[in-house]
Amino acid sequence: MNDPRELLSWSFGSINLPYEKIFEGYYSDKTHIDCQQKYGNMIKDKFQILSFSGAQNEGWNNEMMWAHYGGMHSGVCLEFEEDILLDNLATKYPEIEYHLENVSYSNNNKSPWINWQPNKSEEENMSDILGYLVKDMTLTKSIFWEKEDERRLVCKNVDKQLFIPIQKALRTVYLGVTFNKNGKEMVESVFRSLTGRCNLSIMVYQHNRFERWGMRLDSTGQIITCDFDDLT
């Protein structure tokens, strides 16, 4: 994560939050700010986020994303079938609550507050807090990130690291325009390891834009390029 909000510690103003009980034996006037950050990070650690591009556009042809996150065009881009990926998540982790939404971009300087309910347990309060913070803290970014065109899968109230199975959900693997600099052997290795599991495409830059070519085997078993639509 490179968004400052995600990189730095979280802390919130609060109403009725019993720091002295949550941090019994540690909390004092001198440690108040530290306890604010500790509890803020307890909230932060309850979220796990999987980020995608292509919220409003196709995603695979986002030049900026290739430059920033695709190894300066030498890496890969993974395209998933959204419904199948969510089915995989729900099957493996049926207890997990999640949100899949497009990120909103705004320079709103709103600072969320925590409202603690004394009649509820610490676990119930945490669940409520995660519910009303999910939009402001995980699904909103400043307008400077708008070109990422991000869509996020946010899992909340998580106590363990999640690993979502991608079998059957992986639709296409795109190789960057300079991926072939990794060597012919690497291209062939990637192709043969993915054959039959998903489509494989190589990015080309022509007419001042990205285009995608398909990759397949010819009748002699050699890897050749083709029209991407011929893969489906």
Side-chain angles (χ1 to χ4, degrees):
M1 296 292 186
N2 49 20
D3 182 335
R5 176 187 288 169
E6 295 153 353
L7 194 63
L8 301 174
S9 295
W10 288 3
S11 64
F12 305 93
S14 60
I15 300 172
N16 299 325
L17 204 155
Y19 288 113
E20 67 283 354
K21 179 180 178 182
I22 297 171
F23 301 107
E24 187 175 358
Y26 178 73
Y27 178 78
S28 68
D29 289 344
K30 291 183 179 179
T31 63
H32 178 78
I33 300 299
D34 187 44
C35 287
Q36 270 191 317
Q37 291 189 338
K38 282 181 179 293
Y39 194 72
N41 286 330
M42 287 169 62
I43 294 170
K44 184 179 181 181
D45 289 344
K46 290 285 188 178
F47 290 113
Q48 286 189 32
I49 298 171
L50 183 58
S51 296
F52 305 93
S53 188
Q56 304 291 339
N57 302 292
E58 291 179 292
W60 59 265
N61 57 2
N62 188 323
E63 296 176 25
M64 187 198 73
M65 294 297 285
W66 275 104
H68 287 184
Y69 302 105
M72 287 299 292
H73 308 280
S74 67
V76 301
C77 168
L78 308 182
E79 181 180 40
F80 293 97
E81 192 70 50
E82 188 174 280
D83 291 342
I84 298 176
L85 191 67
L86 294 181
D87 284 344
N88 290 350
L89 170 63
T91 299
K92 186 171 183 181
Y93 303 105
E95 75 284 3
I96 293 297
E97 296 180 66
Y98 64 84
H99 297 258
L100 179 64
E101 296 182 28
N102 296 348
V103 168
S104 298
Y105 299 96
S106 169
N107 276 353
N108 188 337
N109 59 1
K110 174 183 175 183
S111 297
W113 274 57
I114 295 172
N115 187 8
W116 188 272
Q117 301 293 326
N119 60 326
K120 292 186 176 183
S121 68
E122 187 172 335
E123 292 76 18
E124 290 172 324
N125 271 288
M126 176 62 81
S127 181
D128 289 347
I129 289 166
L130 296 172
Y132 60 72
L133 289 182
V134 64
K135 185 70 175 180
D136 289 333
M137 299 305 296
T138 69
L139 292 166
T140 305
K141 299 175 76 169
S142 80
I143 59 173
F144 296 105
W145 300 94
E146 194 167 12
K147 292 188 182 299
E148 289 189 343
D149 191 28
E150 189 174 352
R151 184 166 172 81
R152 282 187 166 185
L153 175 60
V154 180
C155 299
K156 66 180 185 179
N157 217 355
V158 177
D159 292 315
K160 57 189 175 184
Q161 192 167 9
L162 306 181
F163 295 92
I164 304 173
I166 64 171
Q167 62 264 30
K168 298 184 179 179
L170 183 61
R171 178 194 292 172
T172 305
V173 174
Y174 297 93
L175 307 184
V177 290
T178 62
F179 186 89
N180 56 6
K181 290 183 178 179
N182 295 312
K184 181 180 179 181
E185 296 79 9
M186 176 66 77
V187 175
E188 290 183 350
S189 175
V190 170
F191 179 86
R192 297 190 187 281
S193 67
L194 294 174
T195 298
R197 299 173 58 190
C198 64
N199 293 327
L200 190 66
S201 172
I202 189 163
M203 303 294 296
V204 294
Y205 191 74
Q206 58 185 12
H207 310 304
N208 294 318
R209 66 180 185 182
F210 272 151
E211 295 183 8
R212 54 185 177 177
W213 290 353
M215 298 177 67
R216 64 176 179 84
L217 294 176
D218 67 10
S219 59
T220 67
Q222 297 298 308
I223 301 172
I224 61 170
T225 57
C226 63
D227 189 291
F228 181 83
D229 292 334
D230 290 344
L231 296 177
T232 57

